[in-house]
Amino acid sequence: MLILDEGLRDHILQERKRLGIDRHDEVWEGMYVVPTLPTNAHQKLVHDLGVIFDQVANAGGLGTSYPGVNVSDRRKGWEHNFRCPDVAVVLNNSKAVDCGAHFYLRPDFLVEVESPGD
């Protein structure tokens, strides 16, 4: 669905934020993308992988794993182009820069689980 009416689009986006259902939304080169919600199998796989990466990276002292994190090729204005992989790992000596709300550049490892209909 493409919404050309800016007022309606802004209203829908504000409502998604208010309801807390915008967690998986992304922006691709300025285009707001609303993916389908993950299936239970998708979420289970993300969880299981997250546990493994937590044990290897976090507990092993190699870095930090994240169950979903914003990633952008922009340090500033990142809200206009970002992705949110299902799981990401940033190693201690990574080139990725933690900007608080997102990582500038790429994590050292990431997982994007594809669900039916993606």
Side-chain angles (χ1 to χ4, degrees), residues 10-71:
D10 292 346
H11 172 74
I12 289 172
L13 296 180
Q14 288 173 1
E15 189 67 6
R16 290 183 61 74
K17 255 185 220 286
R18 186 184 70 76
L19 294 172
I21 58 175
D22 63 335
R23 195 180 96 155
H24 298 283
D25 297 358
E26 298 178 346
V27 177
W28 301 354
E29 295 296 332
M31 183 187 329
Y32 199 91
V33 177
V34 180
T36 58
L37 290 177
T39 63
N40 292 341
H42 177 122
Q43 290 295 78
K44 175 73 169 116
L45 180 56
V46 167
H47 171 269
D48 292 347
L49 290 171
V51 168
I52 293 167
F53 295 134
D54 182 66
Q55 289 297 310
V56 173
N58 297 8
L62 302 174
T64 306
S65 65
Y66 297 89
V69 65
N70 297 315
V71 177

Side-chain angles (χ1 to χ4, degrees), residues 105-118:
L105 303 178
R106 68 192 184 306
D108 298 288
F109 184 80
L110 61 85
V111 175
E112 183 65 36
V113 177
E114 187 175 338
S115 292
D118 278 354

